Amino acid sequence: MSAEPANPVAAVRAVLPSLTPAAQAIARLILEDPGLVVRSTITEFSGVSGTSEATIVRTARALGFAGYSQMRFALAAAVAKEPERLVPGDLAPDDPLTDVIAKVARAESEALADTAAQLDPDRLGEVVQAISAARRVDVYGVAASGLVAADMSQKLLRIGLSSHPFSDAHLALTSAALLRSGDVAVAISCSGETPDVLVPARTAAEAGALIVGITNNPRSTLAELADHTLVSAGRETAFRPGALASRISQLLIVDCIFVGLAQRTYDTADAAIRATRDATDRYRNR
């Protein structure tokens, strides 16, 4: 069995979409009140959740733990380490704006911290190396992830790398079909199941390009398809959709890639930044 997740709450949130309906119901209870597991024996939690003890054990294993006791101990350690992060509560329709500010700021800061904690520097280095050597970099994303795709391409272009963002599936497919070995396609999808991202990514892979996936779900179709998967963290709810915490965590990964590239290609990147800055300065001052 693989090592237990360092951040159990973030791990539960990440794999939630890939769980069975029964396991999802248990996982949602864990996310709503992690302390409930800490306070409860498996028999007590079975009564609260309305599920069998066997289902709870299977769910704990699906979440990366050896069993319920191990999950309970991991959550207890998390509570002891950062109790304020595990207090239940989400944005409500009648929250005053002071609470809205505090809750949104907390959600986004937690998303950044969780993403940084699970971002593998070795995998990030392999992505940086591949992009720095690529002839061309396609970036696919729609909706909120499309904004992240545009941001990434803009950053790569700024340091002299050939990159184009695509949020239209037909244009993405057209470009993906023309990629080849040595090129890189970056596919961004919070769920990892967005068809308009998966189809061009699969086409790019068939053309010989290396695929980088940025997703919240390490068990998603995108994660399986990608040569390298970078996992973001962010909780989406009715009042915190993908345009908030999940997008922030994706942007953190993009920024880490950008800085790594700028370091790796410092001389050319610095020259490109200076040239583009001079060009925009002349435009503003004309």
Side-chain angles (χ1 to χ4, degrees):
M1 177 170 295
S2 60
E4 292 182 357
N7 186 320
V9 175
V12 172
R13 189 175 299 129
V15 302
L16 179 63
S18 63
L19 299 175
T20 65
Q24 284 188 0
I26 293 171
R28 288 193 179 96
L29 277 177
I30 297 170
L31 293 175
E32 289 170 5
D33 187 0
L36 175 64
V37 176
V38 177
R39 299 188 300 269
S40 304
T41 65
I42 189 170
T43 301
E44 292 168 338
F45 189 68
S46 174
V48 172
S49 64
T51 57
S52 69
E53 293 183 14
T55 299
I56 294 171
V57 171
R58 285 195 298 270
T59 301
R61 290 173 178 168
L63 295 173
F65 301 95
Y68 179 78
S69 295
Q70 289 73 20
M71 181 174 71
R72 187 182 180 192
F73 293 151
L75 288 168
V79 170
K81 184 177 180 180
E82 297 182 272
E84 72 284 352
R85 295 192 60 189
L86 300 183
V87 175
D90 194 9
L91 287 167
D94 57 351
D95 275 348
L97 288 179
T98 51
D99 287 357
V100 170
I101 294 169
K103 289 182 178 182
V104 170
R106 176 174 151 187
E108 297 197 0
S109 64
E110 288 179 4
L112 291 173
D114 290 344
T115 300
Q118 64 191 18
L119 191 55
D120 183 345
D122 292 334
R123 181 60 55 84
L124 180 66
E126 291 170 347
V127 170
V128 167
Q129 180 178 356
I131 293 178
S132 68
R135 174 187 68 103
R136 175 172 136 195
V137 181
D138 276 6
V139 190
Y140 312 131
V142 298
S145 294
L147 300 176
V148 179
D151 180 81
M152 182 173 189
S153 282
Q154 182 269 336
K155 283 183 167 67
L156 298 184
L157 182 63
R158 190 75 193 274
I159 57 175
L161 298 177
S162 178
S163 177
H164 301 281
F166 296 94
S167 58
D168 180 274
H170 288 190
L171 290 176
L173 279 168
T174 301
S175 183
L178 298 176
L179 295 179
R180 61 189 189 217
S181 178
D183 294 334
V184 173
V186 180
I188 306 173
S189 168
C190 178
S191 67
E193 303 294 345
T194 308
D196 285 3
V197 173
L198 288 174
V199 175
R202 189 172 288 113
T203 300
E206 292 169 353
L210 181 140
I211 310 301
V212 175
I214 299 177
T215 179
N216 273 29
N217 187 356
R219 299 183 186 177
S220 62
T221 303
L222 175 57
E224 294 176 1
L225 170 66
D227 297 289
H228 300 297
T229 299
L230 301 175
V231 181
S232 54
R235 180 157 62 107
E236 295 193 352
T237 69
F239 286 92
R240 283 203 295 263
L244 293 177
S246 294
R247 187 189 68 198
I248 293 295
S249 60
Q250 291 172 348
L251 287 170
L252 171 63
I253 292 176
V254 167
D255 284 351
C256 288
I257 293 173
F258 170 75
V259 173
L261 285 166
Q263 290 176 322
R264 187 178 183 86
T265 61
Y266 180 79
D267 290 338
T268 56
D270 182 60
I273 290 173
R274 289 175 183 274
T276 55
R277 181 186 298 123
D278 289 344
T280 54
D281 285 346
R282 287 197 301 271
Y283 177 79
R284 284 195 296 265
N285 296 328
R286 64 178 183 173

